[in-house]
């Protein structure tokens, strides 16, 4: 049986405190958020994960989460990076996870959080793993969170990698304002 791993990150940023969360531009000379446009469309297992998260939220009396294209873009990039063999962690080898959100067009104005997992192809199993971890469960059940970006990618030594990015706003307006 393969080992399953997971990580949770939680961040709070005020509009004037973003300099602490967003370091200087990465040293790499290529686009830091290039993803296949088809990858930003939620597949059946990703939808099953979203449905599972929203079911947990409904049982807790919380509003369901809606898909954000911007957050999904950031999640897709991260899952792809992990599947290509990157070290399993929230921060990339050249930037923080919050800088990735920013590079992918999401402007942090309030709460953001991220769940990572590896080892399951199925959305229901991944949500079950997150629900069994206090930090991951807290990210999914935060009453202030309204939007999610979710993506999974096959590859690497664990077989499947999942990223769920949570935000208070959709962030999707950035795309129409030249944000990416």
């Amino acid at each position: 049986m393969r080992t399953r791993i997971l990580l949770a990150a939680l961040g709070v940023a005020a509009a004037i405190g973003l300099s602490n969360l967003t370091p200087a531009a990465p040293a790499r000379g290529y686009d830091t958020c290039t993803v296949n446009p088809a990858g930003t469309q939620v597949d059946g297992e990703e939808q099953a994960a979203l449905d599972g998260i929203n079911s947990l939220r409904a049982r807790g009396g919380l509003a369901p989460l809606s898909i954000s294209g911007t957050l999904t873009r950031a999640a897709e990039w991260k899952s792809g990076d992990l599947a290509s063999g990157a070290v399993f962690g929230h921060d990339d080898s050249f930037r923080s996870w919050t800088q990735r959100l920013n590079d992918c067009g999401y402007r942090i104005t309030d709460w953001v959080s991220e769940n990572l997992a590896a080892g399951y192809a199925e959305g229901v199993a991944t949500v079950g793993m997150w629900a069994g971890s206090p930090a991951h469960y807290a990210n999914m059940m935060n009453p202030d969170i309204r939007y999610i970006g979710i993506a999974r990618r096959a590859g690497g030594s664990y077989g499947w990698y999942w990223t769920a990015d949570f935000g208070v706003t959709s962030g999707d307006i950035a795309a129409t304002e030249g944000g990416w």
Side-chain angles (χ1 to χ4, degrees), residues 6 10 22 38-39 42 65-66 76 80-81 89 98-99 124 131 133 140 155 178:
L6 57 152
L10 175 66
T22 53
V42 178
L65 300 179
S66 298
E76 175 66 23
D81 190 49
T98 54
Q99 182 63 46
V124 171
S133 160
M140 295 187 298

Side-chain angles (χ1 to χ4, degrees), residues 48-117:
L50 175 59
D51 292 345
I53 292 167
N54 280 337
S55 178
L56 289 172
R57 290 177 63 86
R59 285 194 295 258
L62 300 173
L65 300 179
S66 298
I67 291 288
S68 158
T70 304
L71 289 172
T72 297
R73 181 181 171 90
E76 175 66 23
W77 191 96
K78 183 60 178 179
S79 291
D81 190 49
L82 292 171
S84 72
V87 174
F88 191 82
H90 293 283
D91 291 343
D92 304 337
S93 63
F94 60 98
R95 64 182 168 189
S96 70
W97 67 277
T98 54
Q99 182 63 46
R100 175 175 22 90
L101 293 178
N102 188 56
D103 289 348
C104 290
Y106 190 82
R107 301 301 174 246
I108 299 170
T109 60
D110 211 325
W111 284 96
V112 295
S113 56
E114 177 172 86
N115 285 358
L116 300 178

Side-chain angles (χ1 to χ4, degrees), residues 2-5 82 88 117-121 153-161:
R2 283 199 170 138
T3 303
R4 271 66 171 169
I5 59 176
L82 292 171
F88 191 82
Y120 287 114
R153 198 61 119 25
S157 59
Y158 290 99
W160 286 94
Y161 294 85

